[in-house]
């Protein structure tokens, strides 16, 4: 028990501090459990059993099914109807965003739902002259709450069902907790529509000029190259590499034509005008270069940098646009830099600024390690932006027309999802079988190409589940779960079982804000089941309390993937989540606890 408790403590510290990604921590936990088998009782076969777990395989297949729905553009179709219905009415827009994200997340993994809806919400906000900060947190919270409508709403539900089946012999059916989930979604939506708008800040301007929003005015300068400049005759790359100070070339203007990316191999000529990104201190260094003259200060706007229509033309006639590009938490670029990822040459795009929460970086960005939730202000051609939008490593902050949506396959994809859900709900086949069959059907009917299956899966979640499942087994076998349950019960002996149930909900909700929601389920369900046994309460009620609480990480941007995804697009501060989420967390503690007690009893 002592060894397993030590491993649990190690996992908690690693999840909170994140010296390495959480999936790596989970695999490390698995290795420790196997190596220390005499004390953990976990054999090598049991240690790797998480990879063969029905929960892990089901979650993997659900990623494939969600990708099939995403490829049809169904959410974009709904978005267009939202725009037509709500127009410029901010209240209607907020209600529509909350409603669509909440209901969609009951049947599609909420991470891709939020990824799809971020650009839609941003565009709708600016069209209605409303700050995007008003929509982003509600979008994330509604998707979390919607995930509790069905078994397949989140990977956490599927994992909790697996743990519940192992411990008390009762897995979740497809619509096991839909009534409670609908109540939670209804109460949460009412809060997001009525109370949250009074607490949400306007962190970003409503006007929508990205150049002003990212504070580019003091970092963009125009200089003209004279005939005697050492830059003449050299390529852009050579000029930048040979300079003794930092600057970056955004545009090259030659005889009325604007040259955007790719710029590295462009040869600089006399009378070229260079639009450079640099700091105030290095402007002096730049104009000290012989043959380089500073042009009168220009207050740059989006129109100036989005060249190609109605004025300056690019060398190919293609329009250069500005767009926000978000790095999702599961992107392989997390931990990379713009240089190591070869971003500029891979996408023919220039990064003008990088926003991390409320902080905007304008200089020395090339060697900054990217984090999940970072938002880059990118200048690129329409073609490059479309390629960025089609790449699952990024989320665009505004919508672009994409040709790859297979809208003709939409009825087929919806029918497959309906069959997966219906057959599992009627208990004709287990969800594991219907999910696998559904994934195969997505490929067989052409909704997905075979090579798109592997890219659809968030492998970090799969490795996280596989690594943590044996930890839950070890906690139960060695008595570590019973020991922790005894501590909780001893401190709540004077209270009714409903109060103890509420304590478990609240405690799980608090720790899931700093560790993974899947980790919360694995660690807390065994403890909750033992506590229920000690006080003679309903074990299943305690399992449900932990399951619902694990998907309500509303106090921090790091507690849930969708929170991190909206952190920078909303321009939020870390404390904004607690200000909006704390009252909702307390309301849901009461509503969920009483709902469980009423429906299932304690």
């Amino acid at each position: 028990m002592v060894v397993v408790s030590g491993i649990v403590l190690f996992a908690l510290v690693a999840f909170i501090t994140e010296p390495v990604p959480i999936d790596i921590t989970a695999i490390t936990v698995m290795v420790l459990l196997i190596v220390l088998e005499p004390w953990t009782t976990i054999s090598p076969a049991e240690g790797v059993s998480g990879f063969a777990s029905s929960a892990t395989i089901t979650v993997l297949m659900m990623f494939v099914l969600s990708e099939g729905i995403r490829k049809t553009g169904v959410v974009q179709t709904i978005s267009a109807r939202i725009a037509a219905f709500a127009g410029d009415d901010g209240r209607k827009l907020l209600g529509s965003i909350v409603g669509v994200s909440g209901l969609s997340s009951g049947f599609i993994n909420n991470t891709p739902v939020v990824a799809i809806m971020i650009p839609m919400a941003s565009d709708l906000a600016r069209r209605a002259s409303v700050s995007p900060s008003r929509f982003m947190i509600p979008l994330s919270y509604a998707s979390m709450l919607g995930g509790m409508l069905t078994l397949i709403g989140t990977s956490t539900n599927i994992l909790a069902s697996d743990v519940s089946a192992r411990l008390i012999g009762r897995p979740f059916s497809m619509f096991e907790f839909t009534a409670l989930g609908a109540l939670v979604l209804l109460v949460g939506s009412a809060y997001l529509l009525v109370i949250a708008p009074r607490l949400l800040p306007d962190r970003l301007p409503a006007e929508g000029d990205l150049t002003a929003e990212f504070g580019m005015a003091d970092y963009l300068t125009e200089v003209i190259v004279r005939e005697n400049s050492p830059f003449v005759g050299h390529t852009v790359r050579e000029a930048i590499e040979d300079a003794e100070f930092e600057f970056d070339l955004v545009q090259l203007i030659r005889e009325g034509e604007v040259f955007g990316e790719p710029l590295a191999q462009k040869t600089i000529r006399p009378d070229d005008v260079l639009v450079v990104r640099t700091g105030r201190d290095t402007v002096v260094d730049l104009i000290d270069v012989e043959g380089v003259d500073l042009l009168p200060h220009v207050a740059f706007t989006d129109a100036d940098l989005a060249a190609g229509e109605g004025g300056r033309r690019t060398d190919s006639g293609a329009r250069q646009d500005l767009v926000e590009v978000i790095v999702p938490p599961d992107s392989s670029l997390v931990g990379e830099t713009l240089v190591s990822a070869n971003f500029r040459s891979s996408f023919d795009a220039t990064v003008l600024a990088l926003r991390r929460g409320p902080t905007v970086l304008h200089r020395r960005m090339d060697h900054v390690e990217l984090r999940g939730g970072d938002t880059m202000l990118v200048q690129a051609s329409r073609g490059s932006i479309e390629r960025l939008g089609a790449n699952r490593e990024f989320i665009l902050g505004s919508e672009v027309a994409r040709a790859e949506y297979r809208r003709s396959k939409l009825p087929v994809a919806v029918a497959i999802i309906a069959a997966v859900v219906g057959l599992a709900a009627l208990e004709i086949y287990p969800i594991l079988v219907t999910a696998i069959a559904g994934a195969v059907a997505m490929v067989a009917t052409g909704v997905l190409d075979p090579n798109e299956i592997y890219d659809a899966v968030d492998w970090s979640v799969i490795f996280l589940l596989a690594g943590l499942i044996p930890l839950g087994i070890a906690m139960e076998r060695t008595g570590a779960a019973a020991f922790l349950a005894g501590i909780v019960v001893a401190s709540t002996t004077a209270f009714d079982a409903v109060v103890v149930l509420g304590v478990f909900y609240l405690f799980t909700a608090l720790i899931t804000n700093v560790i993974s929601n899947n980790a919360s389920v694995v660690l807390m369900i065994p403890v909750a089941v033992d506590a229920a046994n000690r006080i003679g309460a309903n074990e299943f009620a305690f399992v449900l309390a932990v399951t619902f609480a694990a998907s309500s990480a509303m106090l921090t941007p790091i507690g849930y993937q969708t929170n991190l995804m909206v952190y920078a697009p909303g321009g939020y501060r870390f404390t904004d989540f607690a200000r909006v989420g704390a009252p909702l967390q307390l309301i849901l503690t009461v509503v969920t606890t009483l709902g469980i007690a009423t429906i299932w009893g304690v």
Side-chain angles (χ1 to χ4, degrees), residues 257-576:
E257 284 188 324
V258 178
F259 294 82
E261 290 291 347
L263 285 169
Q265 300 305 317
K266 294 289 184 187
T267 300
I268 299 174
R269 301 178 186 173
D271 297 325
D272 281 349
V273 174
L274 310 181
V275 179
V276 298
R277 175 180 57 81
T278 188
R280 301 179 187 89
D281 51 345
T282 51
V283 169
V284 177
D285 295 324
L286 183 62
I287 61 178
D288 279 346
V289 174
E290 184 179 3
V292 174
D293 295 333
L294 184 68
L295 291 177
H297 178 71
V298 176
F300 286 93
T301 65
D302 288 4
D304 296 315
L305 296 179
E309 291 181 5
R312 299 170 172 173
R313 303 296 297 180
T314 62
D315 55 316
S316 63
R319 178 177 171 84
Q320 292 281 313
D321 275 336
L322 294 181
V323 67
E324 292 175 292
V325 176
I326 304 155
V327 181
D330 60 344
S331 172
S332 64
L333 272 73
V334 173
E336 298 281 351
T337 66
L338 294 174
V339 171
S340 65
N342 204 22
F343 182 86
R344 170 171 270 183
S345 59
S346 296
F347 294 96
D348 291 336
T350 301
V351 178
L352 301 179
L354 186 149
R355 185 167 63 224
R356 180 169 291 167
T359 304
V360 179
L361 306 176
H362 298 93
R363 302 178 57 198
R364 300 181 177 88
M365 295 176 297
D366 289 348
H367 298 285
V368 173
E369 286 192 2
L370 297 173
R371 299 179 187 170
D374 283 350
T375 298
M376 301 177 288
L377 177 62
V378 172
Q379 180 196 42
S381 67
R382 285 282 177 89
S384 294
I385 291 173
E386 287 178 9
R387 286 196 294 121
L388 284 167
N391 192 317
R392 287 180 56 84
E393 303 291 349
F394 307 104
I395 301 169
L396 294 190
S398 57
E399 295 205 90
V400 295
R402 299 183 201 169
E404 86 272 11
Y405 289 134
R406 296 156 192 163
R407 299 189 187 277
S408 63
K409 298 291 185 180
L410 196 156
V412 176
V414 171
I416 291 171
I417 294 293
V420 168
V421 173
L423 291 173
L426 295 173
E427 299 185 356
I428 297 174
Y429 294 104
I431 182 62
L432 170 66
V433 175
T434 62
I436 294 174
V440 172
M442 286 287 185
V443 176
T445 57
V447 177
L448 287 174
D449 293 333
N451 61 348
E452 292 174 335
I453 291 179
Y454 300 99
D455 291 337
V457 178
D458 184 348
W459 292 103
S460 64
V461 172
I462 301 303
F463 279 89
L464 176 66
L465 295 180
L468 288 179
I469 285 173
L471 179 59
I473 298 173
M475 287 179 64
E476 188 64 22
R477 278 188 187 171
T478 61
F483 173 73
L484 294 173
I487 295 175
V488 175
V489 171
S491 61
T492 57
T493 51
F495 299 105
D496 187 81
V498 174
V499 176
V500 180
L501 184 71
V503 168
F504 266 95
Y505 179 95
L506 187 58
F507 183 70
T508 305
L510 290 175
I511 67 169
T512 202
N513 278 281
V514 290
I515 69 173
S516 160
N517 51 327
N518 289 318
S520 299
V521 160
V522 169
L523 295 174
M524 290 301 299
I525 286 183
V527 179
V529 168
D530 273 307
N533 285 329
R534 286 171 180 264
I535 63 174
N538 181 354
E539 298 169 324
F540 190 67
F542 277 68
V543 170
L544 286 174
V546 170
T547 304
F548 269 73
S551 291
S552 61
M554 298 174 179
L555 300 181
T556 70
I558 61 173
Y560 204 83
Q561 277 195 333
T562 57
N563 284 355
L564 200 53
M565 290 165 67
V566 302
Y567 186 29
Y572 297 118
R573 296 174 184 167
F574 196 94
T575 54
D576 289 336

Side-chain angles (χ1 to χ4, degrees), residues 62-99:
M62 294 312 302
F63 279 122
V64 177
L65 293 173
S66 294
E67 179 67 1
I69 288 291
R70 188 188 75 86
K71 282 291 187 181
T72 65
V74 62
V75 178
Q76 282 74 11
T77 301
I78 295 172
S79 300
R81 295 185 179 179
I82 287 177
F85 163 74
D88 295 337
D89 189 322
R91 288 179 179 272
K92 284 185 178 180
L93 288 174
L94 178 59
S96 300
I97 289 169
V98 168

